[in-house]
Amino acid sequence: MKKNISTFIGFDSDYDKAELVLMGIPYDGTVSFRPGTRFAPSEIRNNSYGLEIYSPYFDRELTDYNLFDAGDIELPFGNTQKILDIIRENAKKILNDNKILFSAGGEHLVTYPLIQAYFEKYGEDLHIIHFDAHTDLREDYMGEKLSHASVIKRIYDITGKDKIYQFCIRSGEKEEFRYKDKGIFQEKFTFSRLPEIIEKLAGKPVYVTIDLDVLDPSVFPGTGTPEPGGINFNEMLNLIKILKNAKIVGADIVELSPHYDQSGVSTSAACKIIREMIFAILK
Ligand code: MN
Ligand code: MN
């Protein structure tokens, strides 16, 4: 792994002491519409210095915890399978050291090798909570099975029924919204049933994947496939507060494409979501 010059604000611990490790995955090889998420991790780090380490929502500081920023994985662009293997192996190393991994993509396909590593560790106990505008349940995208449009289908192929919970979804093909009968929980447009699901999963290891296009494009235009009708930022904060009641063993945020938002607000939103998620994960 390459160490970046700057690290995310407040990530001041050594690797050995760290309870949580941040890893950048600058990959956008399969994006279907507009590329650019490869630039997200470094933009996130730079912009994190516009944040405070203190969260008024949780009344905690990032420096209350031992956090380590591992920098970005170096990836050879072009060979999707090889790239996914590298991501999985990096994740496995961190999980074997009993640390919580928080990944910053990159496109949503990077969640697939991350879940492979997590499934290897937690097996059938692992549950996945997924926030996204899109269902990401296509069998393939234009013949390509490894695509950010089919990442949740690939994960479903690993985990099987009754392990995946989708919230706020509002885009996909008709049959992608018919997974209720195949054992995927789907809540359209909102996350009103999130508290009940988290109660149900009490004590179980939960992985949270946040596709940032779940936010409305009016608050988060910096993404490759903007989809109107999303949640606002305060709803995102409420959602994170609800997540604090889950036993989160890993998380990612994906699909920030910083250069589509010249104002930089989308990158700031991503940074703030990372900060608040840290407090939801670490008790
Ligand atoms: Mn999406
Ligand atoms: Mn997605």
Side-chain angles (χ1 to χ4, degrees), residues 155-198:
I155 290 168
Y156 173 81
D157 292 343
I158 303 172
T159 64
K161 287 176 156 196
D162 304 327
K163 299 289 157 63
I164 300 171
Y165 299 82
Q166 303 191 306
F167 295 93
C168 308
I169 47 171
R170 59 188 185 276
S171 176
E173 293 182 319
K174 190 176 177 184
E175 52 273 29
E176 291 180 73
F177 282 91
R178 297 288 179 272
Y179 267 81
K180 206 176 131 209
D181 305 331
K182 298 182 201 163
I184 293 182
F185 175 93
Q186 298 187 305
E187 184 171 25
K188 284 191 277 190
F189 315 127
T190 72
F191 54 93
S192 66
R193 296 186 63 192
L194 182 62
E196 119 195 28
I197 296 300
I198 287 190

Side-chain angles (χ1 to χ4, degrees), residues 200-257:
K200 193 180 106 175
L201 299 181
K204 297 251 195 289
V206 169
Y207 186 95
V208 178
T209 179
I210 302 176
D211 183 329
L212 292 164
D213 67 26
V214 69
L215 289 160
D216 191 78
S218 60
V219 290
F220 194 86
T223 191
T225 39
E227 184 68 37
I231 60 172
N232 65 35
F233 198 81
N234 283 330
E235 289 172 311
M236 174 59 79
L237 288 171
N238 286 337
L239 175 166
I240 293 171
K241 284 184 209 157
I242 297 167
L243 286 176
K244 191 166 178 70
N245 298 317
K247 183 187 167 190
I248 302 174
V249 293
D252 62 56
I253 62 162
V254 294
E255 298 287 350
L256 165 66
S257 206

Side-chain angles (χ1 to χ4, degrees), residues 108 130 132 134 136 148 151 211 213 254-255:
H108 209 163
H130 170 219
D132 204 322
H134 310 92
D136 291 349
H148 70 155
V151 60
D211 183 329
D213 67 26
V254 294
E255 298 287 350

Side-chain angles (χ1 to χ4, degrees), residues 83-85 87-88 91 109-118:
I83 284 164
L84 300 186
D85 292 345
I87 296 169
R88 190 184 61 243
L109 183 62
V110 304
T111 305
Y112 175 46
L114 295 171
I115 293 292
Q116 286 178 317
Y118 270 92

Side-chain angles (χ1 to χ4, degrees), residues 9 38 48 59 111 125 141 153-154 163 208-210 217 229 268:
I9 194 167
R38 74 178 69 179
S48 70
D59 192 25
T111 305
D125 270 351
Y141 188 76
K153 179 60 170 63
R154 292 291 81 76
K163 299 289 157 63
V208 178
T209 179
I210 302 176
S268 298

